[in-house]
Amino acid sequence: MVELLIGKKGNGKTKTLVEKVNTASTVTDGNVVFVCHDMAEIYDIKSTVRMCETSPFDFKSYNDLLHFIEGIISGNFDITNIFVDGIFKIIGSSSLDGAYEFLEALQDLSREYGISFVISMSIDADEAPDYIKELA
């Protein structure tokens, strides 16, 4: 499953995402991963969650992020949930070029490995393409 948390910047997506992360960490038998651009901006995540910061890396595309996520999965087959906060900040662009393919690839990973993905995206729901609205 791939779920998107969408909305304009500042409408509480990160807070909602953190709540989902902490809930998942208490109910799953597997591992929960939280990916964000800068850990200094994130508080209140339970210590059992694996935190992955992307700021040391120079991501330029959704494909770069996809390979990063695949690397996380390859190192731990017990992952049940991956949460990604602020995808546009991570890839350094708010362009949707490549977003559809990225989300399709995550759907494939979800089916193959049984991982649930939740991603926050700062995009107005009224302006989002249908493929994004369907996952929101």
Side-chain angles (χ1 to χ4, degrees), residues 2-7 103 119 121 123 125 128-136:
V2 176
E3 176 186 354
L4 296 178
L5 297 176
I6 64 172
L103 294 170
I119 301 166
M121 182 181 280
I123 187 169
D130 288 340
Y131 69 91
I132 288 178
K133 289 178 186 177
E134 290 171 9
L135 297 175

Side-chain angles (χ1 to χ4, degrees), residues 5 25 85 111 127:
L5 297 176
S25 73
D85 185 39
R111 283 188 289 273
E127 298 173 8

Side-chain angles (χ1 to χ4, degrees), residues 1-127:
M1 173 199 82
V2 176
E3 176 186 354
L4 296 178
L5 297 176
I6 64 172
K8 293 181 181 178
K9 187 173 180 144
N11 79 343
K13 292 179 301 299
T14 296
K15 182 179 178 183
T16 300
L17 191 67
V18 168
E19 290 169 3
K20 287 179 175 275
V21 168
N22 287 331
T23 298
S25 73
T26 61
V27 299
T28 186
D29 290 332
N31 295 314
V32 176
V33 177
F34 183 80
V35 178
C36 70
H37 180 70
D38 185 359
M39 292 299 169
E41 298 175 2
I42 304 300
Y43 309 99
D44 301 327
I45 300 262
K46 293 188 179 200
S47 62
T48 57
V49 175
R50 179 174 174 202
M51 307 288 282
C52 296
E53 182 174 354
T54 63
S55 64
F57 307 103
D58 189 24
F59 292 175
K60 300 280 190 216
S61 68
Y62 293 99
N63 207 36
D64 290 346
L65 178 56
L66 177 63
H67 293 311
F68 183 77
I69 290 170
E70 289 170 335
I72 291 169
I73 294 168
S74 73
N76 183 347
F77 288 102
D78 293 329
I79 294 171
T80 55
N81 303 80
I82 295 179
F83 297 86
V84 179
D85 185 39
I87 192 167
F88 293 152
K89 194 170 191 178
I90 290 171
I91 66 165
S93 171
S94 61
S95 170
L96 294 177
D97 290 341
Y100 179 81
E101 294 80 6
F102 171 76
L103 294 170
E104 285 293 308
L106 289 186
Q107 292 279 26
D108 291 343
L109 289 172
S110 177
R111 283 188 289 273
E112 186 172 346
Y113 296 101
I115 298 172
S116 173
F117 293 91
V118 181
I119 301 166
S120 71
M121 182 181 280
S122 294
I123 187 169
D124 188 338
D126 295 331
E127 298 173 8

